[in-house]
């Protein structure tokens, strides 16, 4: 049986990811707040009020360009995404770097999970029983049972250049992912400051036809893209974190590995 996620599904997921990334995002009025009784404001509040707003001297498009540039310059990051795909929805939680190493999980339509790790030219993939049975739907039960018995929760080893493996690990190519963040004209509008996983972020929004897009840009440290979300005919989110941290792509123990090169079919 075919134990790898379908090529079309994986390519569709990556296409959706890149398409969302290059959209010219952000729009919304600048937030404001404060005590309605100025005379009673504390010294601390007054001092905070004088602090310049994040990116105060920059326009929405300028902030967006900075965010794209900072994110493209990252040597590694962790991507968590939930996005549409021609075959349903894809959920991803993967750490990846510019060397091509990656480690994380991916699932389609909530039907099981594949755990993957890639180091150098070798990729290891581990499918749970739920995913194997979902992939084997419509095939003889005996064949599916045999595949589950042989492969469930065991690492499958493959050369990253093999067609199916190449399609899967293409999702782990940080250069390919970040290439989507190319600068260009945009009409992003600055909104209020929010938080993403406790990290302060400026909100940028934009409407494009029937879709609304929201981007959150870090206001402390480098202006990384922290989150991208879109709603409309299709909905999805991408969150970025752990920038420039080593990817924990560990090689599984030999006893837990099945070499695809030694399997028939």
């Amino acid at each position: 049986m075919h134990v790898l996620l379908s090529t079309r599904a994986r390519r569709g997921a990556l296409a959706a990811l890149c398409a969302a990334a290059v959209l010219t995002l952000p729009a919304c009025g600048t937030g404001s707040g404060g005590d309605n009784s100025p005379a009673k404001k504390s010294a601390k509040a007054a001092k905070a009020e004088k602090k310049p707003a994040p990116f105060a001297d920059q326009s929405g498009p300028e902030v967006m360009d900075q965010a794209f540039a900072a994110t493209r310059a990252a040597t590694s990051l962790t991507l968590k995404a939930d996005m549409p795909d021609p075959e349903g929805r894809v959920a991803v939680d993967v750490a990846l770097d510019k060397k091509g190493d990656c480690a994380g999980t991916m699932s389609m339509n909530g039907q099981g999970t594949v755990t993957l790790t890639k180091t150098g030219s070798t990729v290891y993939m581990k499918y749970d029983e739920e995913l194997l049975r979902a992939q084997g739907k419509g095939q003889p039960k005996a064949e599916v049972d045999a595949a589950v018995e042989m492969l469930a929760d065991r690492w499958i080893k493959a050369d990253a250049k093999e067609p199916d493996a190449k399609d899967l690990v293409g999702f782990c190519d940080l250069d390919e992912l970040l290439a989507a963040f190319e600068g260009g004209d945009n009409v992003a509008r600055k909104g209020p400051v929010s938080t993403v996983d406790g990290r302060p972020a400026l909100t940028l929004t934009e409407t494009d036809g029937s879709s609304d897009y929201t981007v959150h840009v870090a206001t402390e440290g480098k202006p990384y893209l922290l989150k991208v979300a879109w709603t409309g005919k299709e909905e999805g989110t991408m969150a970025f974190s752990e920038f420039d941290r080593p990817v924990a792509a560990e090689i599984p123990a030999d006893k837990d590995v099945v070499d695809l090169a030694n399997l028939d079919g």
Side-chain angles (χ1 to χ4, degrees), residues 65-75 178 222-225 243-244:
D65 288 344
Q66 279 196 56
F68 281 175
T71 305
R72 288 198 304 272
T75 59
L178 297 180
K222 296 180 181 179
Y224 289 124
L225 290 176
F243 299 92
D244 298 321

Side-chain angles (χ1 to χ4, degrees), residues 176-226:
E176 183 176 347
L177 171 66
L178 297 180
F181 295 89
E182 296 296 339
D185 294 337
N186 69 81
V187 291
R189 296 195 184 197
K190 295 162 67 175
V193 172
S194 60
T195 59
V196 176
D197 292 332
R199 189 169 179 176
L202 178 68
T203 301
L204 300 170
T205 61
E206 183 175 37
T207 297
D208 179 13
S210 61
S211 298
D212 295 321
Y213 303 96
T214 304
V215 172
H216 300 267
V217 178
T219 61
E220 297 179 353
K222 296 180 181 179
Y224 289 124
L225 290 176
L226 299 182

Side-chain angles (χ1 to χ4, degrees), residues 20-98:
V22 299
L23 290 170
T24 55
L25 307 162
C28 184
T30 303
S32 62
D35 194 323
N36 292 325
S37 304
K40 296 182 179 181
K41 289 179 180 178
S42 66
K44 182 177 180 180
K47 182 178 180 180
E49 195 173 81
K50 294 179 181 179
K51 184 178 180 180
F55 307 108
D57 59 346
Q58 298 169 46
S59 67
E62 289 173 334
V63 175
M64 183 60 66
D65 288 344
Q66 279 196 56
F68 281 175
T71 305
R72 288 198 304 272
T75 59
S76 65
L77 56 79
T78 292
L79 167 68
K80 293 183 179 181
D82 178 3
M83 54 198 158
D85 177 82
E87 295 186 6
R89 295 195 70 81
V90 179
V92 177
D93 186 348
V94 178
L96 56 158
D97 64 25
K98 288 188 174 180

Side-chain angles (χ1 to χ4, degrees), residues 1 111-114 126-137 141 144-145 147-149 151-154:
M1 68 177 288
Q111 297 179 326
T113 301
V114 56
K126 182 169 65 176
Y127 298 82
D128 62 14
E129 180 176 348
E130 183 180 1
L131 180 58
L132 288 170
R133 293 195 179 282
Q135 289 285 296
K137 186 176 181 180
K141 182 177 184 300
V144 176
D145 288 345
V148 169
E149 177 66 23
L151 303 174
D153 297 319
R154 297 183 68 188

